[in-house]
Every structure is written in structure tokens, then in C-alpha cells.
Amino acid sequence: MSHQSPMDLKFDDLPNPKRVWVGEPGSHEEGLGRLVLLTDEIVKKAATEQIRTGRRVGLSWDLTKLEYPSLGRKACDHKIVPLLDAGFDDIYVINPQQSSQWDGLRHWSMPCSSDGQQQRLWYGGTTKKEILDRSNDRIGMQHWAREGITGRGVLIDYASWAEKKGIEYSTFSLHTIKLQDIFDIARESNITFEKGDILLVRSGMTREWEHKMDVEAKKTYSISDSPQHAGVEATADMLRWIWDTGFAAVAGDALSFEVYPPLGDFMLHDYLLAGWGMPIGEMFDLERLSEICKELNRWTFFFTSIPFNMPGGVSSPPNAQAIF
């Protein structure tokens, strides 16, 4: 009798939806987390069905953005230095969290109680001590880099849909993308989701940053003690839908994917990263992707991303691409 992976259970059948931890501690399976859903068969099917024209679009934002990041983060520093009087090298100093990035499994923890004591644990039960031990690379980015994050991508273009509906908002607010909005967009776009899909949600953040905000507005955001980010709602129904639909990863152009600060009792980050091992992508550049999807009237594509192969890495630029 074959063993059923907890990844194959329905949300309401999970023994503990806050802890769907697979693989032995320190194993590659554990390091993959939700990416175990991206089997050879699913990736082959996505490539066969989605690559039809060969058109390609990069999904990584300019590394210099955000040039005014928040939460005390530093902007990217790029130097060009001479090499042997015959050429040049680059020196990059970056925090991946200030531009397009995947939140890795070491990025975020969830609160847990043990023997009456409150603590925070990362995916698989990984501890803060393990993460700070540089000889320990448990649940690091190297696991995702080995095979990449590759499969069928699906775009939910909320920004275009809201514009058609006359819905005005700032992505630097608590504006909420509701689950029903996603359902409506999927229905109007004739999207049918499949197990292993990589969900992309366009809120319009990169467009607002580049074309609607002046330097003073960006600086005000950067120094704010309580920045606000529009994003998808953090509700039990959203969690159930993300899980039961079978997404391998979720991403968007929003600053934190979900609304921040949280409007309810929990954050999606707690469940998706620390509970399920699901990659969360933020600040992806989805503007050209949106244009091509409209032109082709296609909202699915082949998605590929190769994160940094950094043992013990916390996050990484996505180096992502959509192929039609």
C-alpha cells in the first residue's frame, strides 16, 4: 500500500494545516518544501503545452529598485572595478528583499507553543540557532537552485481588471485583493487552474513606483515606521483555496504578496513559508507579461526561475522568465 504524501491531502483533511512538513530534517526533500509538487511529468506537460511561439519575457525588476527600500533595508550597491588593465569586474552588494525576490524557507517563521513556552520555528521545525549557524545549511536556497522553480505559470491580472471596473487604489495602502476577485478574473479570462501551477498576481505596484510616485513619495515610504502594502487577503478561505488548488508557488508584483500589516489574526507568510514550504515571490515585474497576455489572450505560459545557489541562503532574486 503506497504512502500518501500530506501534500496530496485536502486542506480540511490535514492533521495540522500549520505544519505540513515533509522530508527528514536536513534532507533535500525537506528543502524543496511545496516544490515537491513539480514532478518531471508536470514540468514536461507544462513545457509541451505552453511553449508554442517562443516569445519570452523576463520577470525580474531592475536590481536598483526599490532605490528607497523600507524596513531598514539597503538599496543595491553596484561597483565596476578594473581587471589587469584589460577589463572590468562587477561587485554587487544586495539585499534580495529590496527588489524582485523569492522568500526562501529561512526568511519567515511562525509562532509555536511548546511546554507552555512561546517560540518561533521555521519550516520543518528549523530553529533560529540552526539558521545562524553558518555551518548548517538546512532549508537553504541551494535546494531550490538544484532544479529550479519551473512549470506552468498563471497570471491573475488584477490591476487591469480593477481598471476596467473603475476601481481606484494605491498599492501602498491596505487595498485588498479578495478571493472572489481572483475567481471573477479567472472566469473572465477562461483560466482553469492545475496542480503544480505557479500563481502570479499583478497589483500594479511596479508601475505605480516607476510612473506615479515622485522621489519625495518614495522617501516618505522608505522611512515610514508603518508602511502599508496592498495584496491578497489573508483569510482561511484564501489558504484553503491556495492549498486545494495545488499551487507549487505564489508570486506577484506586490511588496509583500499579501496585505501588510495584516488585517486579521494571521499572515499568509506564516502558513505558506513556515507551515507549507511554499515559495513566495514579491516585486516581480509583470508589466510586459501583462501586455503579452492581453495581446495573445493567453494567461498561462511556461515559467522558469533559477534562484541563487547559495547554501543556507534566505532569499534570492528570481531570475525568472515566461515563455509562450
Side-chain angles (χ1 to χ4, degrees):
M1 187 174 180
S2 62
H3 172 70
Q4 185 178 30
S5 167
M7 293 290 182
D8 296 326
L9 297 175
K10 288 294 186 182
F11 183 85
D12 290 333
D13 294 331
L14 293 170
N16 184 355
K18 292 183 177 180
R19 292 192 186 187
V20 190
W21 297 344
V22 298
E24 294 297 319
S27 67
H28 179 56
E29 182 183 13
E30 179 192 52
L32 285 176
R34 188 73 169 166
L35 294 183
V36 298
L37 294 180
L38 294 177
T39 63
D40 293 348
E41 291 75 18
I42 281 180
V43 174
K44 179 182 177 182
K45 180 175 183 289
T48 301
E49 295 180 356
Q50 297 301 317
I51 300 178
R52 307 174 199 168
T53 69
R55 291 187 67 177
R56 307 163 308 284
V57 57
L59 305 178
S60 297
W61 203 17
D62 185 334
L63 267 179
T64 64
K65 312 286 176 56
L66 300 166
E67 62 270 40
Y68 298 101
S70 67
L71 303 177
R73 291 169 173 149
K74 303 296 183 183
C76 175
D77 182 33
H78 177 224
K79 291 183 173 64
I80 297 177
V81 296
L83 174 67
L84 301 175
D85 293 325
F88 296 97
D89 282 348
D90 288 301
I91 298 176
Y92 292 89
V93 179
I94 64 169
N95 177 348
Q97 294 286 327
Q98 54 78 213
S99 189
S100 302
Q101 35 75 30
W102 286 115
D103 286 348
L105 301 187
R106 288 180 154 219
H107 175 63
W108 196 256
S109 60
M110 67 158 51
C112 300
S113 296
S114 178
D115 298 325
Q117 300 293 318
Q118 277 292 117
Q119 62 175 327
R120 297 191 70 95
L121 294 176
W122 283 254
Y123 185 70
T126 306
T127 65
K128 180 179 180 179
K129 181 178 180 181
E130 288 178 286
I131 291 176
L132 292 177
D133 177 2
R134 295 313 308 273
S135 68
N136 187 330
D137 61 9
R138 183 180 178 187
I139 64 169
M141 292 301 304
Q142 75 276 7
H143 294 290
W144 296 357
R146 186 183 297 183
E147 290 142 6
I149 301 173
T150 304
R152 191 180 87 141
V154 181
L155 177 65
I156 293 294
D157 193 348
Y158 177 82
S160 294
W161 179 83
E163 188 173 357
K164 287 191 298 182
K165 298 287 184 182
I167 301 171
E168 297 183 359
Y169 64 95
S170 170
T171 57
F172 295 84
S173 73
L174 297 179
H175 182 77
T176 302
I177 299 173
K178 297 180 173 59
L179 181 57
Q180 187 59 52
D181 298 334
I182 294 176
F183 288 163
D184 291 345
I185 295 165
R187 184 182 65 255
E188 293 175 17
S189 304
N190 198 29
I191 294 170
T192 301
F193 298 103
E194 299 177 1
K195 183 178 180 180
D197 279 350
I198 297 152
L199 173 68
L200 304 180
V201 180
R202 176 175 173 257
S203 69
M205 189 284 290
T206 59
R207 178 181 62 181
E208 182 172 354
W209 183 269
E210 293 187 337
H211 301 296
K212 296 183 179 181
M213 295 175 68
D214 59 21
V215 170
E216 287 307 311
K218 294 175 181 178
K219 288 181 176 179
T220 298
Y221 163 74
S222 178
I223 64 176
S224 173
D225 292 332
S226 54
Q228 295 184 348
H229 303 160
V232 304
E233 65 179 3
T235 61
D237 286 342
M238 180 66 77
L239 284 172
R240 182 176 291 102
W241 176 72
I242 290 174
W243 179 271
D244 285 344
T245 304
F247 293 118
V250 296
D253 60 353
L255 287 139
S256 51
F257 184 71
E258 61 181 306
V259 173
Y260 179 84
L263 300 177
D265 298 330
F266 63 87
M267 294 181 65
L268 295 182
H269 276 58
D270 293 353
Y271 282 80
L272 271 57
L273 285 172
W276 303 349
M278 178 181 285
I280 299 177
E282 295 159 346
M283 290 188 273
F284 280 35
D285 184 356
L286 304 180
E287 294 305 296
R288 288 182 58 225
L289 178 66
S290 169
E291 293 171 6
I292 294 175
C293 284
K294 291 174 187 174
E295 178 187 338
L296 300 179
N297 195 29
R298 273 186 60 188
W299 307 96
T300 62
F301 38 86
F302 189 68
F303 177 94
T304 180
S305 166
I306 299 293
F308 282 169
N309 189 5
M310 174 55 71
V314 170
S315 61
S316 170
N319 302 309
Q321 182 183 50
I323 308 175
F324 289 86

